[in-house]
Amino acid sequence: MFAMQPKIDSEALPFLLRASRKQQSLTDAVSELRGIIERQLQASGGILFRDFHLDGAEAFRSFAASFGHPLLSYEFGSTPRTQVSSGVYTSTEYPPHQSIPLHNEQAYTRDWPLKIWFYCEQPAQQGGETPIADSRLIYRDMPAAIRSRFAEKGVMYVRNYGSGLDVDWRDVFGAQSKAEVEAYCAAHAIACEWKDGDELRTRQVCQGTAVHPFTGDKVWFNQAHLFHVSSLAPEVRESLLDIVSDPLELPRNAFYGDGSPIEDETLAAVRDVLDRHKIIFPWQAGDVVMLDNMLTAHAREPFKGPRRVIVAMAQAYGLQ
């Protein structure tokens, strides 16, 4: 038997599935309760597995793979990560003092994972939580004019690689040759152009909102608020704009899908809605969180002390 609790504090997300005895295997729980877990995941959007036995990164990889979908590699990434094992990566390697806003994994592309798992091997001494939020509620709470504009126009993401200010294109594409990059871009509806030397620019028009393929729910699904220049600290933004006057030349930026600029005030309103829906729960060593990546966004709080959270993704889906 497994102890199920639908709430942590006053929130229904994440659904809490707790072991009823010590050393209860998490993989065994999946084999016994897979149908219930899948239904609950679509209902609540996220499940927290707590107090189960899970012995390290390889056991976590096996657990995630046990849901029947090959684990995905981190292709066309936007943040630095380190591969731990096949299909398992460190969480985003940003400095501890930085927060990471709510987002859905790879919502800046036209294909993404439907499932994502986080395994907390070591919680931070202070902070370091992984906040989550219901993307359905974010969609419903978004001002109607903004929601309609993003749904109609989508988002165009522009990235410039090779300036030393962003992830190198070789790491992003997992490639060493320009031909490999061009082939990947052609297969994924990404426009690419080579600039001076080894510098590269990509543009891709993606969704602003989306419909879940199984539940039919409409969700807020983009990363305009992360890529847009307004996401930078004011002093960093001013310094960059002193050097680069053309918004297309910034290391990364976001526009409406027709190429027109997204207003700062629009993204301020978007961030306000996201912040209102943020749910924060404390990590415990051994916790695993499983999210439906379309139904639930995630983030990261600043932290102090060592912290190790690793990630796996599966069940590719998208607009290709």
Side-chain angles (χ1 to χ4, degrees):
M1 295 294 293
F2 302 95
M4 292 189 180
Q5 296 176 267
K7 295 183 179 181
I8 289 181
D9 296 328
S10 61
E11 302 290 349
L13 175 67
F15 183 91
L16 177 60
L17 182 58
R18 188 191 297 272
S20 59
R21 56 182 171 78
K22 289 184 178 181
Q23 298 300 305
Q24 199 163 13
S25 165
L26 182 53
T27 303
D28 289 349
V30 172
S31 65
E32 293 182 32
L33 298 172
R34 182 177 286 109
I36 294 173
I37 290 170
E38 293 281 8
R39 288 194 297 275
Q40 186 60 48
L41 186 67
Q42 290 186 9
S44 63
I47 299 173
L48 169 58
F49 300 88
R50 177 162 283 175
D51 297 334
F52 288 94
H53 177 68
L54 192 67
D55 189 19
E58 282 304 312
F60 170 64
R61 185 195 62 77
S62 297
F63 164 69
S66 71
F67 285 87
H69 301 279
L71 300 187
L72 301 175
S73 60
Y74 188 59
E75 294 182 344
F76 197 45
S78 66
T79 58
R81 297 172 186 256
T82 300
Q83 186 169 356
V84 177
S85 65
S86 178
V88 178
Y89 297 83
T90 60
S91 55
T92 299
E93 295 172 346
Y94 278 173
H97 69 276
Q98 293 183 2
S99 61
I100 301 174
L102 283 167
H103 62 285
N104 304 82
E105 196 66 36
Q106 294 188 310
Y108 59 88
T109 68
R110 293 171 61 86
D111 49 329
W112 52 83
L114 283 179
K115 289 186 173 71
I116 184 168
W117 295 264
F118 301 85
Y119 171 41
C120 179
E121 290 189 298
Q122 181 178 7
Q125 295 173 7
Q126 180 180 332
E129 299 90 351
T130 300
I132 56 179
D134 191 322
S135 298
R136 295 165 288 194
L137 296 181
I138 292 169
Y139 175 90
R140 295 169 200 163
D141 202 23
M142 197 63 62
I146 294 176
R147 188 174 61 216
S148 297
R149 204 176 311 141
F150 274 80
E152 176 187 351
K153 294 186 174 185
V155 179
M156 181 173 74
Y157 300 94
V158 179
R159 300 176 67 177
N160 288 280
Y161 317 82
S163 63
L165 297 174
D166 204 348
V167 183
D168 187 89
W169 61 261
R170 295 168 185 81
D171 296 324
V172 170
F173 291 95
Q176 294 301 315
S177 73
K178 294 182 178 181
E180 291 176 275
V181 172
E182 291 164 2
Y184 181 94
C185 290
H188 292 83
I190 302 171
C192 67
E193 57 181 304
W194 297 100
K195 303 189 294 181
D196 294 339
D198 274 348
E199 294 192 10
L200 169 69
R201 175 184 295 160
T202 60
R203 307 187 201 196
Q204 188 179 37
V205 177
C206 303
Q207 65 292 322
T209 64
V211 177
H212 195 282
F214 302 124
T215 69
D217 290 308
K218 294 180 179 179
V219 295
W220 186 256
F221 200 76
N222 66 78
Q223 289 192 19
H225 64 297
L226 290 181
F227 278 74
H228 192 264
V229 64
S230 63
S231 68
L232 299 173
E235 62 275 12
V236 176
R237 178 179 181 177
E238 291 172 10
S239 297
L240 272 177
L241 292 175
D242 283 341
I243 301 169
V244 180
S245 58
D246 184 350
L248 291 174
E249 294 288 345
L250 291 167
R252 60 175 67 181
N253 207 349
F255 304 81
Y256 290 118
D258 59 7
S260 58
I262 303 177
E263 309 83 359
D264 285 9
E265 57 270 22
T266 293
L267 289 173
V270 168
R271 294 183 182 105
D272 180 63
V273 174
L274 293 172
D275 287 344
R276 290 205 304 269
H277 286 277
K278 183 185 292 186
I279 298 167
I280 299 177
F281 61 93
W283 277 121
Q284 294 182 16
D287 281 352
V288 173
V289 168
M290 178 180 183
L291 301 180
D292 183 300
N293 183 47
M294 290 189 71
L295 300 181
T296 304
H298 62 274
R300 191 200 75 182
E301 294 292 284
F303 63 93
K304 294 181 179 180
R307 174 188 187 269
R308 183 170 172 82
V309 175
I310 57 178
V311 181
M313 305 176 291
Q315 201 172 358
Y317 177 79
L319 305 179
Q320 301 300 327

